[in-house]
Amino acid sequence: MHFIFDIDGTISFKGQPVSAPIMDCLARIQEAGHVVGFASARPCRDMLPVLDECFHHNLLIGANGAMTYFKGERLASNPLPQLTSNTIMGLLEQYEASYLVDDEWNYAHNLEDSHPFLFNVDPLRLAAHVPMNEIHSTIKILVLGSNRLEELTEKLKSLDTTLHYHSAEGILDMTNVGVNKMAALRSFGIIPGQFVCFGNDMNDIPMFVQAGYAVAIGSFDKLLPHASCSIPVGGDTEDRIIAKLEELAFGNGIPLRV
């Protein structure tokens, strides 16, 4: 069985690496013959620092499905069309928005060096911070703030993109139309109904709808109707995640939804 995990707010909390107990549990699941993969809003570059090195060659779906890496190699990417990217950047300049743009591996931004979001951007120094005119394939655009964010958001909604609002961080991200985690899983060959997933936010909904079993972390109201069960966020969240994983991977079979 494939076990697919969102990262931030699901198995990693407050931007910290996934804890050793959860990583050990995932390793045991893998040793038992299950397949472990990760699907995150982060670009694949920024997934690596929060995962143990033994998982770096596993399936990594980044940028909400806009890029896929496996065995350390890029298998697929789905960038924004250049015209759409140019239109978005024009709006961001017009509304004096702060932003970060990811290409296939490198990134551009207009943030102050002290901006807290940058602490989680390429901490292993695997990529390069380049000028915007050196971004030739726009995989994802993050909007981290604007004095007129609501007005800007309405403008961005009118464009032909996939737009997510990350409630925990208060940021927007945009990828090409049709990009989502489930589309990337399907392209990789994972069959709907034949995988288990864990997630916590809006960008996990397409994956939850198609999962054989879906575990929601927290209480995001739009995700819960698509979950098989949920685990509340609290002092024992990690223990509950591990217990659920052991139940599913080593119990009396996974109760897949019909």
Side-chain angles (χ1 to χ4, degrees), residues 17-96:
V18 180
S19 70
I22 290 181
M23 287 276 87
D24 290 345
C25 183
L26 298 186
R28 293 196 303 274
I29 288 172
Q30 195 160 255
E31 289 166 3
H34 298 289
V35 179
V36 173
F38 305 91
S40 175
R42 293 174 179 243
C44 294
R45 172 199 72 226
D46 292 343
M47 296 168 71
L48 300 178
V50 296
L51 299 173
D52 189 277
E53 283 188 17
C54 69
F55 291 101
H56 284 189
H57 283 196
N58 283 46
L59 172 64
L60 303 178
I61 292 172
N64 288 324
M67 57 172 64
T68 301
Y69 278 72
F70 183 59
K71 296 183 178 179
E73 300 291 334
R74 178 165 55 87
L75 294 186
S77 62
N78 189 346
L80 285 157
Q82 191 62 52
L83 181 59
T84 304
S85 176
N86 291 344
T87 300
I88 293 170
M89 295 311 300
L91 286 169
L92 299 188
E93 295 293 340
Q94 178 184 342
Y95 284 87
E96 299 180 331

Side-chain angles (χ1 to χ4, degrees), residues 119-146:
F119 297 149
N120 293 321
V121 175
D122 193 29
L124 299 182
R125 299 296 182 262
L126 301 173
H129 173 206
V130 300
M132 190 61 209
N133 61 10
E134 293 184 20
I135 298 289
H136 302 300
S137 181
T138 304
I139 297 296
K140 186 176 76 166
I141 299 175
L142 276 176
V143 182
L144 293 102
S146 168

Side-chain angles (χ1 to χ4, degrees), residues 119-198:
F119 297 149
N120 293 321
V121 175
D122 193 29
L124 299 182
R125 299 296 182 262
L126 301 173
H129 173 206
V130 300
M132 190 61 209
N133 61 10
E134 293 184 20
I135 298 289
H136 302 300
S137 181
T138 304
I139 297 296
K140 186 176 76 166
I141 299 175
L142 276 176
V143 182
L144 293 102
S146 168
N147 291 333
R148 298 152 63 195
L149 185 59
E150 289 187 12
E151 187 178 341
L152 171 60
T153 301
E154 290 306 310
K155 294 280 189 180
L156 295 173
K157 283 181 179 178
S158 70
L159 302 178
D160 201 17
T161 69
T162 300
L163 187 148
H164 292 112
Y165 177 69
H166 296 274
S167 52
E169 298 90 354
I171 60 178
L172 296 169
D173 76 46
M174 284 163 288
T175 51
N176 196 17
V177 65
V179 164
N180 63 65
K181 294 179 181 182
M182 187 61 226
L185 289 172
R186 190 181 290 109
S187 294
F188 185 73
I190 295 177
I191 301 170
Q194 297 299 309
F195 66 94
V196 173
C197 69
F198 284 61

Side-chain angles (χ1 to χ4, degrees), residues 3 25 28-30 32 34 245-253:
F3 282 74
C25 183
R28 293 196 303 274
I29 288 172
Q30 195 160 255
H34 298 289
L245 283 169
E246 291 177 339
E247 172 193 328
L248 293 171
F250 307 120
N252 297 319

